[in-house]
Amino acid sequence: AQREWEANMPLPSGASVDESVLDDAGEPKAHEWVSNSEAASCFLTGTKFTLTNRRHHCRYCGQCFVSAVSSKKIAIPALGFKEAVR
């Protein structure tokens, strides 16, 4: 039986789900967000966060990015985000 999130996120032909990313109920595990104290700079660019250069957590991977990097949005149905999110 197909799980609800699988219907919202069709896989390419022949692809399969890595079961290690699923919880005991067969739902995708959300990544834990990196704590603000652990993220002094952007994960991608290394730019330091300041009062004016704010951090943004990626809802998919949990890392922190500067706004220029996280300005794009995408739906993540597997994590319950049917509308586009950062």
Side-chain angles (χ1 to χ4, degrees), residues 29-34 43-44 56-65 69 74 76 79 81 85-86:
K29 297 177 195 172
H31 292 281
E32 290 188 25
W33 283 15
V34 173
F43 182 74
L44 184 64
H56 301 277
H57 284 88
C58 172
R59 286 172 176 80
Y60 185 72
C61 72
Q63 293 294 335
C64 288
F65 300 92
V69 172
I74 189 170
I76 312 172
L79 296 181
F81 298 106
V85 293
R86 281 185 168 207

Side-chain angles (χ1 to χ4, degrees), residues 2-82:
Q2 191 176 45
R3 295 168 276 217
E4 179 184 348
W5 62 267
E6 289 175 306
N8 293 322
M9 187 179 81
L11 296 172
S13 178
S16 63
V17 174
D18 178 357
E19 298 292 323
S20 70
V21 301
L22 304 178
D23 63 18
D24 292 338
E27 295 297 317
K29 297 177 195 172
H31 292 281
E32 290 188 25
W33 283 15
V34 173
S35 70
N36 289 345
S37 61
E38 292 178 39
S41 59
C42 176
F43 182 74
L44 184 64
T45 67
T47 304
K48 294 212 183 277
F49 297 120
T50 65
L51 287 175
T52 57
N53 192 26
R54 312 255 333 248
R55 68 180 50 84
H56 301 277
H57 284 88
C58 172
R59 286 172 176 80
Y60 185 72
C61 72
Q63 293 294 335
C64 288
F65 300 92
V66 293
S67 62
V69 172
S70 68
S71 63
K72 306 293 187 227
K73 294 183 178 185
I74 189 170
I76 312 172
L79 296 181
F81 298 106
K82 294 181 181 175

